[in-house]
Amino acid sequence: MNQSAEGLPGRRGFLKAGAVGFPAILSAAQSANAIKVGLVGAGGRGSGAAAQALKADDYAELTAVADIDMDTIDKSLARLQRAAGPKIKVASDKKFIGLDAFQKVIDSGVDVVLLATPPGFRPQHLRYAIEAGKHVFCEKPVATDGPGVRHVLETVDIATKKNVSLVAGFCWRYSNYIAETFDKIGSGAIGDIVAYYATYYTSPVKPMPPESTRPAGMSDTEWQIRNWYNFQWLCGDSLVEQAVHSVDKVAWAMKDQPPISCVAVGGRQIPANGGNIYDHFAVNYLYPNGVRAFVANRQTENCYNENSDYILGTKGTCTIGRGPNPRIEGQNPWSFEGQKNDMYQHEHDVLFASIRKGQPINDGKRMATSTLLAMMGRMAAYTGQQITWEQALNSQERLVPDTIDWKGSLAVPPLPLPGKTKFI
């Protein structure tokens, strides 16, 4: 997410906003209290997360970075240097590239790891960081397939046992005005929820370039990772990678309890140029007592765009994203009237405060649940079948290859065909 529906700057846009508000310069005595931060994935999203992490604590400092490109690392550090100055302490031998670079960052003596690579890598990176006893900020979604979600759920338990913090990049959970809205809903302001309709209609995030632009000699693996948003195993598809924010709000409204089942439609209207993700989905989730939740997304240019939530209850309706503030209409009318916080910054403020207090927080379970909820809709759309929560949770389909060779061949599975693609 780069631009929220409410006009807040996205994580990628944070650096462009400048260095306003960075706290004190470190003194020699205070540096002993420094929290060392390692960044895994130095693109726009990762660089924004790093800037926010460094702003969250007076004595946080960036000491190691991993990516697949040294040029990407250097550009990220140059931007961060302008924003955070002396808090950037990445020596030349702490800049790591390659598919194993994440291990080198985590093993470099950092205290906190920011995970911002394509989500297909997330289960592996998260496990390594947590087993090493690091506090983690983990971007969403947390996996791209069922085995990955189950792996993450195991890791969440390990984080609890190791007493480390795990904060998820489901940013709306850290928005004060959205949190207040869901508090109102939870306290019965609209009565019992009977239906939820969420939209995420937008343009393509990272369109797939034509095959003719692929450099001579570039392997399949490298080509796919450099264009990660267009491949199921790396991004999870548009519903799972982007519209998962809307799915997460549905989960929030339903108190993070899973649905019974779902059906869905989806497909690809605009040529995928060799990628294999859909550009639209519409999912119908069935919850207990006949409650329904509908999530629709589209990533197509020159179409009507909207990122909104319509929550219907027995006593009123809550609308988010259609106006400057959320509002409730009905028996208990209400609208948020306070000062909105920066939810991207607040995620890191909470993480670093938990570390300083020695009171770990763990978003892991709901992070995995919301990821699987989006994945469940994708499974239903791909297969054309009704999918239950238990089926989704126990899916054996592995999108992420067992072995990933940077220079290797890697065939791209065809676009799924509902009615023909089997649920696994």
Side-chain angles (χ1 to χ4, degrees):
M1 171 182 292
N2 194 35
Q3 185 75 26
S4 80
E6 304 291 345
L8 291 172
R11 200 183 306 286
R12 294 188 186 95
F14 181 88
L15 290 171
K16 296 177 182 177
V20 177
F22 272 91
I25 297 174
L26 294 172
S27 70
Q30 291 165 331
S31 65
N33 296 321
I35 295 178
K36 296 181 178 179
V37 178
L39 172 61
V40 179
R45 180 166 295 179
S47 298
Q52 286 141 359
L54 296 177
K55 187 178 178 182
D57 187 275
D58 282 358
Y59 308 114
E61 54 187 42
L62 185 68
T63 59
V65 182
D67 202 275
I68 58 171
D69 272 323
M70 190 57 74
D71 184 56
T72 300
I73 292 176
D74 288 339
K75 288 179 178 175
S76 173
L77 290 177
R79 295 195 300 272
L80 288 166
Q81 186 72 41
R82 290 193 293 273
K87 297 182 132 198
I88 308 304
K89 297 185 176 181
V90 182
S92 58
D93 64 346
K94 301 299 182 187
K95 298 189 291 185
F96 305 106
I97 59 172
L99 295 179
D100 63 349
F102 75 97
Q103 296 173 320
K104 296 172 182 175
V105 164
I106 293 168
D107 292 340
S108 68
V110 298
D111 305 297
V112 177
V113 181
L114 314 175
L115 297 180
T117 62
F121 296 111
R122 205 92 74 218
Q124 178 191 24
H125 293 184
L126 181 62
R127 175 65 66 89
Y128 195 86
I130 294 297
E131 287 190 333
K134 310 301 181 184
H135 304 284
V136 173
F137 171 77
C138 181
E139 262 298 352
K140 43 52 58 179
V142 74
T144 59
D145 57 21
V149 168
R150 294 193 294 276
H151 191 74
V152 167
L153 286 169
E154 293 174 359
T155 304
V156 171
D157 290 339
I158 296 172
T160 300
K161 293 174 183 173
K162 285 187 171 286
N163 220 27
V164 295
S165 284
L166 171 55
V167 168
F170 280 111
C171 49
W172 291 115
R173 303 270 187 158
Y174 289 89
S175 161
N176 65 334
Y177 69 98
I178 297 299
E180 187 170 330
T181 302
F182 279 89
D183 284 347
K184 290 286 182 183
I185 293 170
S187 64
I190 64 169
D192 296 329
I193 294 175
V194 295
Y196 194 128
Y197 172 51
T199 62
Y200 212 129
Y201 300 133
T202 186
S203 299
V205 176
K206 296 179 183 292
M208 185 70 188
E211 178 69 20
S212 60
T213 65
R214 178 170 167 171
M218 180 178 285
S219 73
D220 294 340
T221 301
E222 181 178 353
W223 178 245
Q224 290 175 34
I225 291 175
R226 291 190 182 282
N227 298 287
W228 64 273
Y229 204 98
N230 299 277
F231 298 94
Q232 296 165 12
W233 73 275
L234 283 159
C235 83
D237 214 315
S238 60
L239 177 66
V240 178
E241 203 287 332
Q242 185 183 54
V244 71
H245 280 297
S246 297
V247 172
D248 181 54
K249 281 184 280 186
V250 169
W252 195 356
M254 302 300 177
K255 305 184 186 305
D256 291 308
Q257 295 303 305
I260 297 169
S261 63
C262 76
V263 294
V265 295
R268 184 85 202 181
Q269 292 286 339
I270 306 301
N273 277 340
N276 67 346
I277 66 169
Y278 283 3
D279 55 14
H280 64 279
F281 288 89
V283 189
N284 181 340
Y285 295 99
L286 172 64
Y287 282 84
N289 301 317
V291 174
R292 293 280 180 173
F294 308 89
V295 177
N297 82 305
R298 181 184 57 222
Q299 294 180 344
T300 306
E301 292 181 337
N302 303 316
C303 294
Y304 171 75
N305 289 340
E306 180 188 301
N307 183 359
S308 301
D309 303 82
Y310 308 86
I311 311 168
L312 283 63
T314 55
K315 296 181 180 178
T317 301
C318 177
T319 305
I320 303 171
R322 303 299 293 168
N325 293 312
R327 66 180 183 276
I328 289 175
E329 297 167 303
Q331 295 184 22
N332 303 294
W334 170 85
S335 179
F336 179 83
E337 296 180 352
Q339 183 72 32
K340 295 178 181 176
N341 71 348
D342 178 347
M343 58 186 176
Y344 303 103
Q345 182 58 53
H346 190 51
E347 295 168 331
H348 293 273
D349 293 344
V350 172
L351 170 62
F352 281 80
S354 77
I355 296 169
R356 287 294 186 194
K357 293 176 181 175
Q359 298 174 354
I361 57 175
N362 191 332
D363 294 341
K365 188 172 181 180
R366 61 174 168 77
M367 171 178 72
T369 299
S370 290
T371 297
L372 184 64
L373 186 58
M375 211 177 282
M376 177 185 181
R378 182 196 68 197
M379 293 172 184
Y382 278 3
T383 62
Q385 303 302 315
Q386 175 177 269
I387 301 296
T388 68
W389 178 257
E390 292 301 319
Q391 283 179 297
L393 183 60
N394 293 294
S395 168
Q396 300 301 308
E397 183 179 37
R398 292 184 178 276
L399 298 181
V400 180
D402 290 334
T403 302
I404 303 172
D405 178 1
W406 181 252
K407 296 184 179 298
S409 299
L410 190 57
V412 179
L415 279 170
L417 295 174
K420 294 185 177 180
T421 297
K422 302 298 183 185
F423 174 80
I424 300 173

